Amino acid sequence: MKAAALAVTAAFLLTGCGTEKTLPDSSAHDIHSYGNPEKVRVRSVALDLTVSFENRTLAGTAILGIDVASGKDPLLLDTRDLVIEKIDASVNGAGYTEAKWSVGQRDKILGAPLTVQIPGGTSFVRIRYQSKPEASGLQWLTPEQTAGKKHPFLFSQSQSIHARSWIPIQDSPGVRVTYTARIHTPKELVALMSAEHKGAEDGVFDFAMTTPIPSYLIALAVGDLQFQSAGPRTGVYAEPSVLAKAAAEFSDMEKMVTAVEQLYGPYRWGRYDLLILPPSFPYGGMENPRLTFATPTVIAGDKSLVGLVSHELAHSWSGNLVTNATWSDFWLNEGFTTYIENRIQEAVYGRDLAVMEQALDQRKLAKEMAGMPSPEQILHADLTGKDPDENTTGIPYVKGSLFVRLLEQTFGRPAMDAYLRSYFDHFAFQSITTTTMLDYLKRELLDKQPELAAKIPLQEWVYEPGLPASAPRTVSEALEAVSKDATAFGNGSRSASSIPAGKWNTQEWLEFLEALPPLKAPQLAQLDAAFHLTQTGNSEILDQWLQLAIKADYAPAYPRVEAFLLEVGRQKFIKPLYTELMKTPAGQARAKAIYAKARAQYHPIAQTAVDKIVGSNVP
Ligand code: BES
Ligand code: ZN
């Protein structure tokens, strides 16, 4: 027992962060956590929580299993707006004695540190606590905000630093924990977590995640949910009225898992299920292990937006298996994932679609970078004084994926695929920094072929702003043709009705709308008459169209702008629409009026983001 404990401690000192001596990589220090894992490290979490929709609280206990380096240090945890009631410490997990603790000052971005004085030999710390109704990582929905309109709904969103608003924990992606949970819910509802199901009876649900994961992947949802299988280890959860449509849309899930396994090795999480959330979910998707959370806005009816599932599934390797150690290394998660997403799309739906998606990404990146301050264009992000949620631009995603694609094109696909597979095996279930990734890349790929490596300016790619001249450029012939149509329509040399859009897929439509020069309202009216864009059921096309409509002050689209902003809380859609509205005085009035009605329906994370665009004191 003693020897085993020592071995564990030694291992954790080697991978720890914070002090000079024990630090393999000084950049591993996480500025977004108050935790002290280099001294006292949380290894496991056992939750027992009761879900109260009346109070909008999770209340109960978290028992943290810890490793202690020296025995002198307190345990430091992250919290945000938690009500801490009592803390006990235990040597063996059986008998507990009360411990002293204090909550420090609340920082706007980080929340407040919780310091627990632990007696020598402490292995477990039990915290009795409640979350607050305004917890940033939880959204409590009224029945009216769900598809079924009968039952309330709760879901968590822990990435980036919101786990601390519902669990007292070392909330850093460099600290991995196993977890168990017992969740008590109203009897008619179902609880789901990013973990294996261990039991479900009469409003009591048990879960276990037995491989260590970072805190941002701990996830919970409670609602009127049903399941439909998609394959031996895949399936979809959704509210009953959404389930059939969702299951049809995502019927290729099993194929996707098989495709990515052939590329990068076994899927290591057992099941891969999808949970369709109500439309206020602030993201497209969230890669919670075993159970991706997804927005219903990707259900287009024709599978044209399922790239989102490829993306979240890809995170099962790049992100969940090999994790960014700090939020400055976020591009390791998203850049590699965006690359792999595209490989899955290619494997399942063919090269033409994959190339179109690459080209669309590149166009969007170029547009976005044009207005972006240089420091924000760097892959390894400096997030000093910033909320990591603000780093969700095309830089970590698309610039990151272009770096990986450059490696692929330079060293060849077979070599790159073999390299990535070895990378995932080597760092499986670890959190690593950019430096660690680059060291491995040099050792295992670049140094073996120096003449090819000379074509990869690493420093420029990872630490400098801008898009390097060595960036791969994807040309999609189909999209080039569409882009010409857009130009021709824009300059009046082509009428709306003569545009050959009959066979266009979603990606071609998106290219057309993106490639249009600034239009006047009558031109939008012509397009609308020919193609009924204001009425489209495809959320991506609609979002793009509504942005153009606001720019051109195309009045017939305003009711749809309002309806969309009231229904959907996905930040990718609502932020650009509010931003566009805020550009004119009339638009500002419109934005404020809509936001006054919509704000209460949005997730706390989306509220924070839109507050910055529209202002929080809406009338
Ligand atoms: N992990 C992200 C979502 C995220 C990022 C949440 C940062 C909080 C902070 C997820 O994998 C993602 O990238 N989602 C995208 C989808 C995608 C297809 C690019 C989204 O939500 O739009
Ligand atoms: Zn992602």
Side-chain angles (χ1 to χ4, degrees):
M1 179 67 207
K2 192 108 208 196
L6 277 176
V8 168
T9 307
F12 116 74
L13 285 175
L14 283 171
T15 55
C17 87
T19 58
E20 288 292 296
K21 241 201 299 187
T22 58
L23 209 62
D25 181 346
S26 61
S27 57
H29 174 70
D30 183 357
I31 59 169
H32 293 106
S33 173
Y34 289 112
N36 59 340
E38 73 285 359
K39 305 236 171 68
V40 181
R41 179 171 284 249
V42 177
R43 290 287 184 189
S44 64
V45 181
L47 299 170
D48 188 323
L49 296 172
T50 298
V51 181
S52 167
F53 283 99
E54 292 74 38
N55 303 331
R56 299 196 154 189
T57 56
L58 296 176
T61 54
I63 299 174
L64 309 180
I66 59 171
D67 278 345
V68 180
S70 74
K72 285 188 232 95
D73 299 292
L75 165 65
L76 294 184
L77 300 172
D78 293 293
T79 70
R80 182 190 286 129
D81 305 327
L82 291 181
V83 182
I84 308 293
E85 292 163 351
K86 185 169 188 281
I87 303 185
D88 302 299
S90 170
V91 174
N92 53 15
Y96 278 89
T97 52
E98 197 158 349
K100 287 199 177 133
W101 54 272
S102 63
V103 176
Q105 247 205 329
R106 184 188 195 277
D107 177 86
K108 251 189 105 184
I109 294 171
L110 302 180
L114 168 58
T115 306
V116 186
Q117 304 299 336
I118 45 170
T122 297
S123 297
F124 295 95
V125 172
R126 183 175 66 198
I127 304 170
R128 217 175 70 200
Y129 73 101
Q130 300 195 16
S131 64
K132 288 217 181 132
E134 65 269 24
S136 64
L138 300 176
Q139 190 177 16
W140 299 88
L141 299 177
T142 60
E144 296 70 48
Q145 287 174 278
T146 67
K149 315 281 178 212
K150 276 210 204 85
H151 299 282
F153 201 107
L154 164 70
F155 65 87
S156 70
Q157 169 57 43
S158 295
Q159 194 180 15
S160 303
I161 53 172
H162 303 284
R164 63 189 66 177
S165 74
W166 64 286
I167 308 171
I169 200 170
Q170 288 177 329
D171 194 12
S172 167
V175 179
R176 308 180 80 95
V177 295
T178 57
Y179 81 87
T180 61
R182 168 163 288 190
I183 306 292
H184 307 260
T185 71
K187 285 208 169 43
E188 62 281 13
L189 300 185
V190 170
L192 296 173
M193 291 192 84
S194 53
E196 215 175 306
H197 302 187
K198 289 294 185 188
E201 226 175 316
D202 279 345
V204 181
F205 296 83
D206 286 302
F207 302 94
M209 172 51 73
T210 51
T211 47
I213 59 166
S215 54
Y216 77 87
L217 295 176
I218 305 179
L220 168 68
V222 179
D224 179 17
L225 292 165
Q226 286 180 359
F227 177 74
Q228 187 167 326
S229 173
R233 51 186 171 165
T234 51
V236 180
Y237 290 92
E239 287 188 68
S241 68
V242 179
L243 187 59
K245 250 188 351 183
E249 196 79 10
F250 304 115
S251 61
D252 295 328
M253 285 170 74
E254 194 75 32
K255 271 191 223 158
M256 290 174 171
V257 179
T258 308
V260 65
E261 278 189 315
Q262 280 167 3
L263 292 170
Y264 308 118
Y267 178 74
R268 311 200 196 201
W269 305 92
R271 294 197 55 85
Y272 181 73
D273 293 323
L274 197 60
L275 167 62
I276 306 300
L277 292 163
S280 68
F281 184 55
Y283 291 100
M286 178 64 215
E287 67 271 26
N288 298 314
R290 297 178 62 97
L291 184 66
T292 283
F293 284 20
T295 171
T297 61
V298 287
I299 305 175
D302 59 3
K303 300 188 177 179
S304 63
L305 304 178
V306 298
L308 179 115
V309 178
S310 295
H311 179 97
E312 305 312 335
L313 170 64
H315 274 307
S316 306
W317 283 259
S318 45
N320 299 2
L321 193 58
V322 180
T323 308
N324 51 210
T326 77
W327 295 115
S328 289
D329 308 303
F330 182 61
W331 77 278
L332 296 185
N333 276 18
E334 298 301 344
F336 282 68
T337 291
T338 301
Y339 168 82
I340 295 174
E341 166 196 342
N342 198 257
R343 293 293 303 273
I344 302 174
Q345 289 291 95
E346 178 180 329
V348 178
Y349 299 106
R351 176 120 186 112
D352 289 351
L353 179 71
V355 165
M356 285 189 206
E357 294 190 334
Q358 286 175 24
L360 281 171
D361 269 1
Q362 278 167 237
R363 173 191 282 285
K364 267 190 245 137
L365 179 68
K367 272 195 189 176
E368 195 184 359
M369 282 178 74
M372 193 186 276
S374 304
E376 290 171 23
Q377 301 182 1
I378 296 172
L379 282 180
H380 184 263
D382 179 4
L383 298 176
T384 314
K386 287 194 183 159
D387 185 326
D389 285 354
E390 285 174 31
N391 187 32
T392 48
T393 68
I395 297 298
Y397 286 81
V398 182
K399 184 178 173 183
S401 72
L402 289 171
F403 172 70
V404 184
R405 189 162 303 118
L406 173 65
L407 291 171
E408 180 210 283
Q409 291 181 359
T410 308
F411 290 87
R413 241 188 204 191
M416 188 58 191
D417 287 355
Y419 167 76
L420 281 176
R421 189 172 177 147
S422 80
Y423 167 77
F424 292 131
D425 286 343
H426 187 80
F427 293 112
F429 300 109
Q430 293 182 44
S431 301
I432 65 168
T433 61
T434 296
T435 321
T436 300
M437 188 282 287
L438 289 176
D439 286 347
Y440 188 78
L441 177 69
K442 284 180 216 155
R443 197 170 76 230
E444 298 297 323
L445 194 67
L446 304 190
D447 290 354
K448 290 180 176 167
Q449 284 175 283
E451 64 300 342
L452 295 180
K455 299 182 185 170
I456 320 277
L458 283 183
Q459 176 71 22
E460 181 190 9
W461 269 98
V462 179
Y463 298 105
E464 290 173 21
L467 190 61
S470 51
R473 256 175 289 261
T474 299
V475 177
S476 155
E477 277 167 29
L479 294 196
E480 296 278 298
V482 171
S483 166
K484 289 200 182 103
D485 291 330
T487 309
F489 176 76
N491 66 26
S493 60
R494 214 177 212 302
S495 69
S497 54
S498 76
I499 293 169
K503 290 206 190 101
W504 283 357
N505 67 9
T506 294
Q507 285 65 30
E508 290 172 299
W509 267 111
L510 291 173
E511 171 73 9
F512 179 76
L513 297 174
E514 291 267 7
L516 283 168
L519 297 185
K520 296 263 182 326
Q523 289 172 295
L524 290 194
Q526 286 164 24
L527 287 175
D528 216 4
F531 305 113
H532 312 291
L533 290 160
T534 302
Q535 304 314 323
T536 178
N538 185 299
S539 62
E540 293 278 353
I541 294 175
L542 180 65
D543 184 56
Q544 209 52 54
W545 171 251
L546 295 179
Q547 285 182 49
L548 296 178
I550 297 168
K551 278 199 183 97
D553 196 24
Y554 173 60
Y558 281 130
R560 191 84 207 265
V561 170
E562 172 159 357
F564 193 55
L565 288 171
L566 286 176
E567 195 206 328
V568 172
R570 183 178 176 187
Q571 297 179 88
K572 178 188 175 184
F573 293 154
I574 67 175
K575 280 161 67 177
L577 291 175
Y578 281 114
T579 302
E580 214 46 72
L581 283 170
M582 291 303 286
K583 288 181 181 168
T584 66
Q588 283 172 18
R590 211 182 284 279
K592 287 191 175 14
I594 296 171
Y595 191 40
K597 284 191 258 177
R599 190 174 187 279
Q601 324 283 318
Y602 291 162
H603 190 284
I605 294 170
Q607 289 179 349
T608 303
V610 181
D611 284 354
K612 287 194 184 135
I613 299 168
V614 182
S616 55
N617 36 0
V618 288

